Amino acid sequence: MKTALPNLAPALLVPALLASGGAVAAPMTLADYLALSGPPPSATFAYGSAPSQFAELFRPAGPGPFPVVVLVHGGCWTVEYGGISQMHNVAGALAARGIAVWNVEYRRADEEGGGYPGTYLDMNAALDKLAAEAPAHQLDTSRIVALGHSAGGQLVQWIAGRSRIAASSPLFQPSPLPVREVISLGGLADLRNEQALIKTSCGRELAQLAGRPSASRPDIFADTNAAELMPNGSRTLLVTGELDTISPPRAAHDYAARARAAGDRAEVVILPGASHYDEIAASSPAWKLILPLIENALGMAR
């Protein structure tokens, strides 16, 4: 049985972000993020033939079964801003807590085959591969959280709604692996309503992320927009740095309101003094606030 979600009122979280000496830690920059590193994975698995179609397993020491975090990196859907290697810092920290991590690489919008539909097909294939490999590695896929940062937040929020995609869509996946717990760190998930933000923050055109309309697919958001694949029975935690300018707190609150209006559970957590990059760094003071959210979503008693 899952423990109750702790009181997450932002004002109560400020003390956790205080560094020694009483000063608030400086928010991380893009350069700080790109310098992140961590331990190597336990194993790597290809789920397709393209160079970017693989996932890394970070398996904790000892016998399982282990709860699983599906970790999806950001980077504005482009190869320019790092990706899977920066996630090693968080993956290593989670594995040290007894949590297995399925760290997903995927074809990005500026890679051959990426964008629509390729990036979404990669998410489907990566989760199929996880389901296939789970028994051999003692991974408990009944206890699973999808954790995504920035563009990866959009993808994990989309994962939760896959079961609502029509069979006529290229993205349709019969009997997808259920993911009911989602944590989106500075996610940019509402493609329809946040077009201007996605353009200013990432320079992405919606055609790259959602394709172009056609006679058979007049609404490009019907199978790509997480905000319209609800209700899907998921709970989404939208975690955003107070100083995040890529995906500001306003976007998290707006998405949560849409999710709740549709009938799903959604809550917003604001990280005081944190930037867009603190959200995904195990070395950041913000991690002390994020880790309990992950463990709570996995039903881990501490």
Side-chain angles (χ1 to χ4, degrees):
M1 183 174 180
K2 291 183 179 177
T3 57
L5 191 71
N7 188 335
L8 297 173
L12 299 181
L13 299 182
V14 173
L17 289 180
L18 293 180
S20 59
V24 176
M28 291 180 64
T29 66
L30 175 59
D32 295 328
Y33 163 75
L34 292 174
L36 291 173
S37 63
S42 309
T44 300
F45 303 89
Y47 60 79
S49 59
S52 295
Q53 291 179 307
F54 68 91
E56 300 174 334
L57 172 63
F58 289 76
R59 186 187 184 279
F66 303 105
V68 182
V69 165
V70 174
L71 182 60
V72 183
H73 70 77
C76 282
W77 302 274
T78 174
V79 299
E80 183 177 355
Y81 299 117
I84 194 168
S85 63
Q86 281 77 21
M87 299 302 100
H88 289 189
N89 89 99
V90 161
L94 290 172
R97 301 284 290 186
I99 301 168
V101 178
W102 190 252
N103 189 26
V104 179
E105 184 57 283
Y106 52 91
R107 292 172 294 175
R108 307 182 212 185
D110 50 358
E111 290 183 270
E112 183 177 357
Y116 183 89
T119 297
Y120 302 93
L121 295 176
D122 286 356
M123 292 296 109
N124 283 340
L127 285 168
D128 283 351
K129 188 66 173 176
L130 168 60
E133 296 291 341
H137 301 279
Q138 297 81 52
L139 309 180
D140 182 1
T141 55
S142 70
R143 293 188 294 159
I144 188 169
V145 169
L147 176 70
H149 177 240
S150 195
Q154 182 256 331
L155 293 171
V156 297
Q157 289 172 254
W158 175 84
I159 283 170
R162 294 186 301 160
S163 63
R164 292 185 59 88
I165 294 175
S168 58
S169 167
L171 308 185
F172 174 73
Q173 181 78 347
S175 303
L177 178 68
V179 177
R180 295 290 178 257
E181 296 284 345
V182 173
I183 301 178
S184 180
L185 307 173
L188 292 164
D190 193 341
L191 299 184
R192 186 190 297 275
N193 293 293
E194 300 292 359
Q195 294 184 51
L197 179 62
I198 290 168
K199 176 65 174 177
T200 57
S201 292
C202 287
R204 299 271 77 81
E205 300 292 344
L206 265 295
Q208 294 177 293
L209 308 179
R212 298 185 183 279
S214 65
S216 61
R217 187 174 170 264
D219 183 0
I220 63 173
F221 301 109
D223 57 357
T224 58
N225 191 16
E228 293 172 48
L229 297 174
M230 298 187 291
N232 54 55
S234 67
R235 182 182 71 150
T236 302
L237 296 180
L238 298 130
V239 183
T240 302
E242 178 188 22
L243 305 179
D244 191 333
T245 58
I246 304 296
S247 180
R250 188 274 311 156
H253 285 291
D254 285 357
Y255 188 94
R258 292 186 183 103
R260 290 192 292 262
D264 283 333
R265 295 171 295 162
E267 297 162 76
V268 175
V269 179
I270 304 301
L271 304 170
S275 74
H276 189 64
Y277 308 105
D278 290 288
E279 299 159 359
I280 196 59
S283 56
S284 166
W287 182 248
K288 296 179 179 66
L289 309 179
I290 296 169
L291 179 60
L293 302 179
I294 298 170
E295 293 181 339
N296 182 77
L298 289 169
M300 297 174 69
R302 293 291 178 184

